[in-house]
Coordinates of all heavy atoms in Angstrom, one line a residue:
V1 N 6.6 6.7 5.4 CA 6.0 6.0 6.5 C 7.0 5.9 7.7 O 6.7 6.2 8.8 CB 5.6 4.6 6.1 CG1 5.1 3.8 7.4 CG2 4.5 4.6 5.1
A2 N 8.2 5.4 7.3 CA 9.2 5.3 8.4 C 10.6 5.2 7.7 O 10.7 4.8 6.5 CB 9.0 4.0 9.2
I3 N 11.6 5.6 8.5 CA 13.0 5.6 8.0 C 13.9 5.1 9.0 O 13.7 5.3 10.2 CB 13.4 7.0 7.5 CG1 14.8 7.0 6.9 CG2 13.3 8.0 8.7 CD1 15.1 8.3 6.2
S4 N 15.0 4.4 8.6 CA 16.0 3.9 9.5 C 17.4 4.4 9.0 O 17.7 4.1 7.8 CB 16.0 2.4 9.5 OG 17.1 1.8 10.3
I5 N 18.1 5.1 9.8 CA 19.4 5.5 9.5 C 20.3 5.0 10.6 O 20.3 5.4 11.8 CB 19.5 7.0 9.5 CG1 18.5 7.6 8.5 CG2 20.9 7.5 9.2 CD1 18.4 9.1 8.5
S6 N 21.2 4.0 10.2 CA 22.0 3.3 11.2 C 21.1 2.7 12.3 O 20.3 1.9 12.0 CB 23.1 4.2 11.7 OG 24.0 4.6 10.7
N7 N 21.4 3.1 13.5 CA 20.6 2.6 14.6 C 19.4 3.6 15.1 O 18.8 3.3 16.1 CB 21.5 2.4 15.9 CG 22.4 1.2 15.6 OD1 22.1 0.2 15.0 ND2 23.7 1.4 16.1
S8 N 19.2 4.6 14.3 CA 18.2 5.5 14.6 C 17.0 5.3 13.6 O 17.1 5.0 12.5 CB 18.7 7.0 14.4 OG 17.7 7.9 14.6
T9 N 15.8 5.4 14.2 CA 14.6 5.3 13.4 C 13.6 6.4 13.6 O 13.7 7.1 14.6 CB 13.9 3.9 13.8 OG1 13.5 4.0 15.2 CG2 14.8 2.8 13.5
N10 N 12.7 6.6 12.7 CA 11.7 7.6 12.8 C 10.4 7.2 12.1 O 10.5 6.6 11.0 CB 12.2 8.9 12.2 CG 11.3 10.1 12.4 OD1 10.7 10.2 13.5 ND2 11.2 11.0 11.5
D11 N 9.3 7.4 12.7 CA 8.0 7.0 12.2 C 7.2 8.2 11.9 O 7.3 9.2 12.6 CB 7.3 6.1 13.1 CG 8.0 4.8 13.5 OD1 8.7 4.3 12.6 OD2 7.9 4.4 14.7
A12 N 6.3 8.1 10.9 CA 5.4 9.2 10.6 C 4.3 9.3 11.7 O 4.0 8.3 12.3 CB 4.7 9.0 9.2
D13 N 3.8 10.4 11.9 CA 2.8 10.6 12.9 C 1.5 9.7 12.7 O 0.9 9.3 13.7 CB 2.4 12.1 13.0 CG 3.4 13.0 13.6 OD1 4.4 12.5 14.2 OD2 3.4 14.2 13.3
S14 N 1.2 9.5 11.4 CA 0.0 8.7 11.1 C 0.1 7.3 11.6 O -0.9 6.6 11.7 CB -0.3 8.8 9.6 OG 0.8 8.3 8.9
V15 N 1.3 6.8 11.8 CA 1.5 5.4 12.1 C 2.1 5.2 13.5 O 2.4 4.1 13.9 CB 2.3 4.6 11.1 CG1 1.7 4.7 9.7 CG2 3.7 5.1 11.0
K16 N 2.4 6.3 14.2 CA 3.1 6.3 15.5 C 2.3 5.4 16.5 O 1.1 5.5 16.6 CB 3.2 7.7 16.0 CG 4.3 7.9 17.0 CD 5.6 8.3 16.3 CE 6.7 8.6 17.3 NZ 7.9 9.0 16.6
G17 N 3.0 4.5 17.1 CA 2.4 3.6 18.1 C 1.9 2.4 17.5 O 1.5 1.5 18.3
R18 N 1.8 2.3 16.2 CA 1.2 1.1 15.6 C 2.3 0.4 14.7 O 2.3 -0.9 14.7 CB 0.0 1.4 14.7 CG -1.2 2.0 15.5 CD -2.4 2.1 14.6 NE -2.2 3.1 13.5 CZ -2.2 2.7 12.2 NH1 -2.5 1.5 11.9 NH2 -2.0 3.6 11.2
F19 N 3.1 1.1 14.0 CA 4.1 0.6 13.1 C 5.5 0.7 13.8 O 5.8 1.7 14.4 CB 4.1 1.3 11.8 CG 2.9 1.1 10.9 CD1 1.8 0.4 11.4 CD2 2.9 1.5 9.6 CE1 0.7 0.2 10.6 CE2 1.8 1.3 8.8 CZ 0.7 0.7 9.3
T20 N 6.3 -0.3 13.5 CA 7.7 -0.3 14.0 C 8.6 -0.7 12.9 O 8.5 -1.7 12.3 CB 7.9 -1.3 15.2 OG1 7.0 -0.9 16.2 CG2 9.3 -1.2 15.7
I21 N 9.6 0.2 12.6 CA 10.6 -0.1 11.6 C 11.8 -0.7 12.3 O 12.2 -0.2 13.4 CB 11.0 1.1 10.8 CG1 11.9 0.7 9.6 CG2 11.6 2.2 11.6 CD1 12.1 1.8 8.6
S22 N 12.5 -1.7 11.7 CA 13.7 -2.3 12.3 C 14.6 -2.7 11.1 O 14.1 -2.7 9.9 CB 13.4 -3.5 13.2 OG 12.7 -4.5 12.5
R23 N 15.8 -3.0 11.4 CA 16.8 -3.2 10.4 C 17.8 -4.2 10.8 O 18.3 -4.2 12.0 CB 17.5 -1.8 10.1 CG 18.5 -1.8 9.0 CD 18.9 -0.4 8.7 NE 20.1 -0.3 7.9 CZ 20.6 0.9 7.4 NH1 20.0 2.0 7.8 NH2 21.7 0.9 6.7
D24 N 18.2 -5.1 9.9 CA 19.3 -6.0 10.1 C 20.4 -5.7 9.1 O 20.3 -6.0 7.9 CB 18.7 -7.5 9.9 CG 19.8 -8.5 10.3 OD1 21.0 -8.2 10.3 OD2 19.4 -9.6 10.6
N25 N 21.4 -5.0 9.6 CA 22.5 -4.6 8.7 C 23.2 -5.7 8.1 O 23.7 -5.6 7.0 CB 23.4 -3.6 9.5 CG 22.8 -2.3 9.8 OD1 22.0 -1.8 9.1 ND2 23.1 -1.8 11.0
A26 N 23.4 -6.8 8.8 CA 24.1 -7.9 8.3 C 23.4 -8.6 7.1 O 24.1 -9.1 6.2 CB 24.3 -9.0 9.4

């Protein structure tokens, strides 16, 4: 569905514009 690498993110085309991945490294 989605992946987060450090400060970079990527979403699958099927969820683009609807889903948002985020990350709290702390």
Side-chain angles (χ1 to χ4, degrees):
V1 177
I3 185 172
S4 173
I5 304 174
S6 296
N7 294 320
S8 179
T9 61
N10 189 34
D11 303 324
D13 290 339
S14 60
V15 303
K16 203 89 172 181
R18 299 188 297 118
F19 291 9
T20 302
I21 188 171
S22 60
R23 181 171 167 179
D24 187 336
N25 290 325

